[in-house]
Amino acid sequence: MSKFTIKETISLFDGKLLKLSHESTSTKTSMDVNIYLPPQYEESNNKEIPVILYLAGLTCSPQNGAEKSFLPYFASKKGFGVIFPDTSPRGAGIKGEDENWDFGTGAGFYVDSLVEPWKENYNMYSYILKELLPLIKIEFKNLDSINNISITGHSMGGYGAIMMYLRNPGKFKSCSAFAPICNPSIVPWGEKCFGNYLGNDKSEWYKYDPCYLIKEYLGNPLIKNDEKILIHVGSKDPFDFRDNQLRCKNLVESAKNTKLDGKIDLKIVEGYDHSYYFISTFVPEHVEFHLKYLTK
Amino acid sequence: MSKFTIKETISLFDGKLLKLSHESTSTKTSMDVNIYLPPQYEESNNKEIPVILYLAGLTCSPQNGAEKSFLPYFASKKGFGVIFPDTSPRGAGIKGEDENWDFGTGAGFYVDSLVEPWKENYNMYSYILKELLPLIKIEFKNLDSINNISITGHSMGGYGAIMMYLRNPGKFKSCSAFAPICNPSIVPWGEKCFGNYLGNDKSEWYKYDPCYLIKEYLGNPLIKNDEKILIHVGSKDPFDFRDNQLRCKNLVESAKNTKLDGKIDLKIVEGYDHSYYFISTFVPEHVEFHLKYLTK
């Protein structure tokens, strides 16, 4: 676990976007990450600010969310930091890693791989939770990426957000997602990545599948009442209506008789697609949602 | 002049982004253009809404501004339409058109070319003013791209905005620019494009150079008082401080003893660069500026 190298510092919305890289012990590669520090962030005082962790979708890098989600605009207005991690190791040197857009580079699927040749590098679950978030707290002491953090994401990253939230009760103060892959075990994107990264034993897949995880979920000890997961999906999202890759209703169904029964706030929004146009439209609502749970 | 083909309709911010194409008589190519219609736009009534025309910079297409400027977000809040034209003809089939990022495809420089082999196609000035804006008013009757329109742009498009504004008093209700090339006749970007598109006679260049145009400018007959041009430039814009391509202070200087003496509101903003991060940060201020002049 090494410190960050600042590759670029960009001014926006009165704050700073830092394009960072560091050598990761989880992935054994150099990893890029973007962090947005709003003007309310100051290194010199003891005032910590809350954080939203944004996990991006297939093919994306730390740039997509930073450039197109509009999260930094609201971060500056409301005083929270944003973390935009990458979606996989890059340049691991594994044969075939660059041959598919939905597997390998840009498609780490936020799991810890169990099988060769992926398991040396494709460990995005541990990378984010056990390496990146602690390192950020150490390097940016007033960015509370440990105790005052919420999680969201898009598509594969929406799945990643819900999965990490359900696997780690109390780690995140709240969770939301844009067009998440809710039941990866039974859809082509998930089958491809789980099969390759985790092997044939489906019991290993279920450990990352929100529709299974929710059955064992104990509830968020940080939330006194009204725990919810906010999800938006566009009615014209082709990966949903055409390809059936998202299966958000399965999560609503799976939540029945669990701690989150009736608490999956699934909003199917008329006319919207799968793009960052869709994301940026509903970012304000997601920000307001998370700010109800984060400590200001 | 043919009607638009709708290539894609995208929902965002309660409005619609239309990705259009049409066969242009000015460029003799198919031209792409994006139009943002806010929710206030309705085809069925007689209520026209104002328009902001956004001209993009070198290498850009109609997508950059639509994806990254966040103009549509404010357009939905305030009820104006946005037009995002392309920056050149594409696929004209001219030898060398794709060999440079700062000349040819993606770099039409908003002029009407005078010399071979460019003059058949590279006529972005006439294309935008005489073809695109009228066609939009015909096809979208409640989008007032003729009588209630302001102009802005970035870099080459910032130059294009100021140039078109100064050449056509009363055409636009107001003008602003992000990091514009203010004195193209004397900087490498301008010399390359003007030399190739307009030939060696520099008197032809001056007809497109804001620093010359401003000398003859009669003032905007639409504005009763307090006519201004709002310009933002980042102090860390490498094309400015490193390459000296923008020369915004030359425009302030050239404005002396003209109708716009003291009216070039040049704001050099500390720390900002040339990117869409810079643009989106100051879009709200530019929107407020134009809304003072546009009729609601």
Side-chain angles (χ1 to χ4, degrees), chain B residues 256-273:
Chain B
K256 285 189 176 156
N257 302 313
T258 76
K259 288 280 182 187
L260 291 172
D261 193 345
K263 302 295 187 181
I264 307 297
D265 191 6
L266 173 61
K267 298 190 174 184
I268 298 167
V269 282
E270 183 59 33
Y272 285 85
D273 63 16

Side-chain angles (χ1 to χ4, degrees), chain B:
Chain B
M1 191 155 88
S2 71
K3 291 187 174 185
F4 295 115
T5 300
I6 299 176
K7 294 165 66 179
E8 203 175 347
T9 301
I10 297 170
S11 295
L12 69 160
F13 304 128
D14 291 329
K16 300 284 181 197
L17 183 74
L18 306 181
K19 297 193 175 187
L20 307 172
S21 70
H22 66 121
E23 294 302 317
S24 162
T25 50
S26 310
T27 68
K28 300 184 180 63
T29 62
S30 175
M31 292 296 294
D32 287 343
V33 56
N34 287 349
I35 295 181
Y36 182 67
L37 301 176
Q40 294 85 349
Y41 178 86
E42 289 181 27
E43 278 183 49
S44 55
N45 64 17
N46 285 315
K47 177 90 178 76
E48 295 180 0
I49 63 169
V51 173
I52 291 181
L53 171 62
Y54 175 86
L55 303 182
L58 290 165
T59 77
C60 290
S61 75
Q63 314 314 329
N64 302 67
E67 290 178 354
K68 297 182 184 175
S69 72
F70 294 110
L71 272 165
Y73 176 78
F74 298 100
S76 284
K77 280 200 178 304
K78 304 291 184 175
F80 59 89
V82 190
I83 302 171
F84 300 99
D86 209 341
T87 55
S88 77
R90 291 176 192 270
I94 301 171
K95 187 162 180 280
E97 70 187 347
D98 294 327
E99 287 174 9
N100 296 271
W101 66 270
D102 56 358
F103 171 65
T105 301
F109 234 78
Y110 303 108
V111 301
D112 284 348
S113 178
L114 298 171
V115 295
E116 297 290 354
W118 308 100
K119 71 180 194 178
E120 288 298 304
N121 309 102
Y122 277 68
N123 299 307
M124 291 299 290
Y125 181 82
S126 287
Y127 164 67
I128 288 171
L129 288 170
K130 299 172 190 171
E131 185 171 356
L132 181 63
L133 297 185
L135 182 60
I136 287 170
K137 184 70 182 79
I138 290 165
E139 295 282 305
F140 300 92
K141 71 180 177 68
N142 289 333
L143 206 53
D144 194 351
S145 58
I146 299 299
N147 290 319
N148 197 17
I149 179 169
S150 290
I151 189 167
T152 188
H154 173 232
S155 196
M156 175 182 74
Y159 138 77
I162 300 170
M163 176 271 288
M164 287 186 183
Y165 181 79
L166 295 175
R167 277 177 67 127
N168 299 279
K171 169 67 207 161
F172 299 99
K173 292 207 162 172
S174 50
C175 174
S176 75
F178 303 88
I181 306 166
C182 286
N183 198 353
S185 299
I186 64 162
V187 303
W189 279 337
E191 288 169 342
K192 187 171 186 174
C193 284
F194 282 177
N196 277 286
Y197 297 141
L198 303 176
N200 295 326
D201 179 357
K202 288 205 174 178
S203 67
E204 296 295 340
W205 300 18
Y206 303 152
K207 294 177 186 171
Y208 289 102
D209 188 323
C211 287
Y212 287 85
L213 292 168
I214 204 167
K215 298 289 185 194
E216 311 294 326
Y217 181 63
L218 294 170
N220 190 337
L222 299 177
I223 300 174
K224 299 286 187 294
N225 45 40
D226 206 27
E227 178 178 4
K228 280 186 181 175
I229 294 178
L230 174 64
I231 299 175
H232 278 85
V233 183
S235 73
K236 292 196 175 164
D237 184 329
F239 298 114
D240 191 41
F241 78 82
R242 183 192 64 198
D243 300 344
N244 221 358
Q245 297 262 23
L246 306 185
R247 308 285 183 116
C248 296
K249 287 177 181 165
N250 289 14
L251 187 63
V252 175
E253 193 62 32
S254 300
K256 285 189 176 156
N257 302 313
T258 76
K259 288 280 182 187
L260 291 172
D261 193 345
K263 302 295 187 181
I264 307 297
D265 191 6
L266 173 61
K267 298 190 174 184
I268 298 167
V269 282
E270 183 59 33
Y272 285 85
D273 63 16
H274 197 75
S275 70
Y276 272 84
Y277 292 118
F278 153 69
I279 298 171
S280 58
T281 298
F282 297 99
V283 150
E285 188 174 337
H286 285 240
V287 165
E288 287 306 317
F289 171 79
H290 291 297
L291 290 177
K292 284 191 296 184
Y293 298 95
L294 289 163
T295 306
K296 288 291 286 184

Side-chain angles (χ1 to χ4, degrees), chain A residues 12-70:
Chain A
L12 70 160
F13 304 128
D14 290 329
K16 300 285 181 196
L17 183 74
L18 305 181
K19 297 192 175 186
L20 308 171
S21 70
H22 66 122
E23 294 302 316
S24 163
T25 51
S26 309
T27 68
K28 299 182 180 64
T29 62
S30 175
M31 291 297 293
D32 287 342
V33 57
N34 287 350
I35 296 181
Y36 182 67
L37 301 176
Q40 294 86 347
Y41 177 86
E42 290 181 25
E43 277 183 46
S44 55
N45 64 18
N46 285 314
K47 177 89 177 79
E48 296 178 359
I49 63 170
V51 173
I52 291 180
L53 171 61
Y54 174 87
L55 302 183
L58 290 164
T59 78
C60 288
S61 76
Q63 314 316 328
N64 303 67
E67 290 178 355
K68 298 182 184 174
S69 72
F70 220 9

Side-chain angles (χ1 to χ4, degrees), chain A residues 121-140:
Chain A
N121 310 101
Y122 277 68
N123 299 307
M124 290 299 290
Y125 181 81
S126 287
Y127 164 69
I128 287 171
L129 288 170
K130 299 172 190 170
E131 185 172 357
L132 181 63
L133 296 184
L135 183 59
I136 287 171
K137 184 71 180 79
I138 290 165
E139 296 282 306
F140 301 91

